[in-house]
Amino acid sequence: MRVFNRNRGLRAGAAIASISLVAGCGVFSDGNPDDEGAIVVGTTSAPSTLDPAASWDGSWELFRNIYQTLLAYPSGGTTPEADAAKCAFTDSSNTTYRCELRADMKFADGDTLDAQAVKHSIDRIRQINVSSGPAGLLGSLDRVQVLDDRDVVFHLNKPDATFPFVLATPAMSIVDPDDYPAHSLRKDGKVFGSGPYTLKSYDDGKRAELVRNDRYKGYAKRENSAVTIRYFQDSGTMVKALRDGKIDVTYRGLAADDIVALQGRSSKSLQLVDGSGTDINYLVFNPKDRWAGNLAVRKAVAQLVDRGAITHKIYRDTVDPLYSMVPKGLTGHTTTFFDDFGDPSVPKARKLLTDAGIDQPVPLTLWYTTDRYGSETALEFRELKRQLDDSGLFTITLKSRPWKTYVTGYQKGEYPVFGRGWFPDFPDAENFIAPFVGQQNALGTPYLSTRITDVLLPESRREDDRADVVKEFEDAQQILVDDARLLPLWQGRQYVAASDDISGGEQALDPSTIMMMWELYRKTSW
């Protein structure tokens, strides 16, 4: 059985429109370093760790730029292609995957990057096996074999056409065996990867300074020589820094009010890149809780939640209602929650509870994180509380924590119901189903569904053509609706705000909506 576990599409492949763009020419490339100083990027998504073996979350934003993977997504692409290596299945059953590294690869500190380093990097993920870490992505991997200095073979325990997508995730970043222990996480706070940039300095939760890695060999064509990432606690402070010229770009965490203001062109010196996205927001029910573990309670919540009110009142229509864990834009998307529950209905919810012998208001505690998904999160949960309380069927208590302690709480199973967001690992419907099921998964709460894990997902992984597995994904989504362990709420869009002298934002997002910092550059006049 393949099992997944991450906190983390085809958003970047969607048409993207830019408003208030100012014409300009001149690109700083590898041959012409940007001499105007580092491009400063703001985000509300700070890393939780610097070690790839520990992270299945927003830390990937940093990893993509300082580490390197065997495969990656060239700008605009949705299929993994060569980065550190060229790779391919060598058999018709999709169980043997071979990669050949580029010649003379080095880490940023000069150490050799060879096939043994690749094996070490992948093996340590499973050996350390961090709770809610990326080990679950490797559920189909049997063993890694080194043939020589440049050749490595991945032997799979079952057919898996999605394995190249897994290798393209920042979780599979290649690390130096001399610096990253095989059985424990690196604890000195230092990083030496082989990616486009090196981490010059890092202040946890505040800033990361990236400079060009002169030893880098890969597909990325760097349009700048340095990037500084600043981490903000809220959108308002971040946008003020953008308006004040203290940062050049924002790429995660814009609040709805800020997006609407930018769309209205309240500032002529700024631009907004607006594109469709595949990140999703959802509720998780803990089956070990007395009330959240009751199917009738979960279905009653599903019957009451008004997604339209949330997306319109709280997010001002900058996100879209979602009725499936697989978002619109991906093959296999359905509207199963709407098909089964329809519009919000108090009478239908009451009947679900009374049929289960529940004739009193159900006490539920809903948890959310204060600093992960944007400043509207608290307002969203207040709206959920209002909807459920007003039905007379629930008594809702709201609680919250900052992300780092929030993660610890759900990993320990402390929360009856909690909110999560999901930024895709790769652009396939599987990535919106598989990570949430199995004994070890991205939710921190086991979700055993043998029909999904042992039948539907294995069947889908035999097919190279993902259009041929729609039926499997539809069946899996119906199971998720029947169990009501997960309740999708909304699907996001992609917004990048920047000063008018910055270009490259349209090309900077990969299919998992991670920003490739090297695509950004300052405009110059002829």
Side-chain angles (χ1 to χ4, degrees):
M1 179 179 73
R2 182 179 181 181
V3 184
F4 280 70
N5 81 358
R6 167 165 100 86
N7 270 4
R8 240 224 84 64
L10 203 50
R11 170 190 259 173
I16 296 179
S18 177
I19 66 174
S20 185
L21 289 176
V22 177
C25 303
V27 175
F28 297 107
S29 66
D30 277 352
N32 298 285
D34 177 3
D35 59 2
E36 295 186 37
I39 291 177
V40 184
V41 180
T43 177
T44 60
S45 181
S48 62
T49 177
L50 295 179
D51 192 326
S55 171
W56 200 354
D57 60 19
S59 305
W60 288 12
E61 304 278 8
L62 182 60
F63 294 174
R64 175 62 77 200
N65 293 277
I66 59 177
Y67 292 107
Q68 192 173 17
T69 47
L70 294 171
L71 302 172
Y73 300 96
S75 181
T78 57
T79 301
E81 297 183 25
D83 186 5
K86 59 181 181 180
C87 307
F89 281 107
T90 60
D91 63 336
S92 58
S93 62
N94 291 341
T95 58
T96 306
Y97 197 69
R98 180 170 178 172
C99 295
E100 180 185 358
L101 289 167
R102 296 176 186 267
D104 301 319
M105 295 283 288
K106 300 285 185 182
F107 290 101
D109 61 355
D111 286 357
T112 297
L113 191 165
D114 56 15
Q116 192 61 49
V118 174
K119 174 177 170 59
H120 172 84
S121 301
I122 304 301
D123 284 348
R124 73 186 291 267
I125 293 172
R126 297 198 297 176
Q127 290 165 353
I128 298 174
N129 195 23
V130 172
S131 177
S132 291
L137 282 168
L138 296 169
S140 65
L141 179 63
D142 179 34
R143 61 188 176 92
V144 185
Q145 177 186 13
V146 172
L147 299 182
D148 54 41
D149 287 347
R150 292 176 55 193
D151 289 279
V152 60
V153 178
F154 299 92
H155 297 277
L156 309 184
N157 52 36
K158 62 192 71 174
D160 188 0
T162 69
F163 190 70
F165 291 95
V166 172
L167 289 183
T169 67
M172 305 300 136
S173 296
I174 306 169
V175 298
D176 190 339
D178 290 342
D179 298 320
Y180 293 79
H183 300 283
S184 63
L185 298 176
R186 184 171 184 173
K187 297 182 174 65
D188 62 4
K190 297 181 180 179
V191 169
F192 290 109
S194 60
Y197 299 97
T198 60
L199 188 60
K200 179 182 178 181
S201 68
Y202 181 70
D203 188 352
D204 188 17
K206 295 182 178 179
R207 65 191 294 126
E209 295 185 12
L210 281 56
V211 297
R212 175 197 302 272
N213 173 15
D214 291 330
R215 292 189 170 95
Y216 170 71
K217 290 186 177 181
Y219 76 93
K221 181 181 179 182
R222 291 162 294 188
E223 306 291 0
N224 60 70
S225 61
V227 172
T228 295
I229 305 173
R230 286 187 56 190
Y231 301 110
F232 292 84
Q233 293 297 311
D234 60 84
S235 173
T237 306
M238 180 172 68
V239 172
K240 184 179 187 303
L242 179 65
R243 294 186 184 278
D244 292 346
K246 295 180 180 179
I247 62 175
D248 300 305
V249 184
T250 68
Y251 75 100
R252 181 97 59 205
L254 282 172
D257 287 345
D258 295 318
I259 293 169
V260 171
L262 289 166
Q263 287 172 332
R265 301 180 67 173
S266 62
S267 174
K268 295 181 180 180
S269 64
L270 300 178
Q271 57 177 300
L272 184 73
V273 176
D274 177 0
S276 60
T278 52
D279 61 288
I280 67 172
N281 183 275
Y282 58 98
L283 293 179
V284 182
F285 293 85
N286 186 344
K288 294 183 179 180
D289 179 77
R290 175 190 173 188
W291 294 109
N294 187 305
L295 178 60
V297 170
R298 300 196 299 268
K299 288 192 171 184
V301 174
Q303 186 64 71
L304 291 170
V305 168
D306 187 342
R307 295 169 176 80
I310 293 171
T311 58
H312 180 67
K313 291 170 57 178
I314 307 303
Y315 291 95
R316 301 185 65 180
D317 299 317
T318 60
V319 300
D320 300 311
L322 182 63
Y323 298 93
S324 164
M325 290 300 288
V326 177
K328 293 177 292 185
L330 292 186
T331 299
H333 166 73
T334 67
T335 56
T336 43
F337 272 90
F338 185 82
D339 298 340
D340 279 34
F341 295 100
D343 291 324
S345 171
V346 173
K348 289 181 179 178
R350 180 179 292 110
K351 186 176 188 305
L352 285 165
L353 294 174
T354 55
D355 286 351
I358 301 172
D359 57 3
Q360 65 185 59
V362 176
L364 273 183
T365 300
L366 274 58
W367 282 82
Y368 63 92
T369 179
T370 58
D371 59 354
R372 186 64 171 181
Y373 305 120
S375 56
E376 292 91 358
T377 303
L379 299 176
E380 175 185 354
F381 274 76
R382 289 175 199 162
E383 173 63 16
L384 286 168
K385 171 179 168 60
R386 184 198 65 78
Q387 293 177 11
L388 297 174
D389 282 348
D390 286 357
S391 72
L393 303 175
F394 289 89
T395 302
I396 301 299
T397 300
L398 297 182
K399 292 187 177 182
S400 62
R401 285 176 178 171
W403 177 251
K404 283 193 174 183
T405 53
Y406 186 74
V407 172
T408 302
Y410 73 65
Q411 288 175 350
K412 292 181 177 179
E414 294 178 1
Y415 311 147
V417 185
F418 58 99
R420 286 292 307 275
W422 183 257
F423 302 96
D425 300 319
F426 51 82
D428 193 277
E430 156 152 335
N431 196 236
F432 291 87
I433 296 173
F436 309 125
V437 295
Q439 181 65 36
Q440 184 183 26
N441 59 47
L443 308 175
T445 57
Y447 183 179
L448 303 182
S449 177
T450 55
R451 171 70 178 165
I452 295 178
T453 56
D454 296 358
V455 178
L456 296 175
L457 290 177
E459 286 178 356
S460 74
R461 292 171 186 140
R462 295 188 178 94
E463 295 291 342
D464 291 318
D465 188 344
R466 306 308 285 165
D468 291 338
V469 295
V470 171
K471 181 62 167 59
E472 286 83 355
F473 291 138
E474 288 177 346
D475 289 351
Q477 289 175 82
Q478 187 60 55
I479 292 172
L480 296 181
V481 173
D482 293 341
D483 292 343
R485 285 275 306 274
L486 308 170
L487 185 63
L489 297 174
W490 52 260
Q491 174 176 348
R493 300 179 194 168
Q494 182 58 59
Y495 298 96
V496 175
S499 60
D500 270 335
D501 67 338
I502 296 294
S503 283
E506 300 91 336
Q507 296 81 37
L509 299 172
D510 77 3
S512 54
T513 70
I514 293 174
M515 180 167 279
M516 301 176 289
M517 301 294 179
W518 57 86
E519 294 284 357
L520 302 173
Y521 62 93
R522 298 187 190 279
K523 300 174 184 175
T524 60
S525 58
W526 289 105

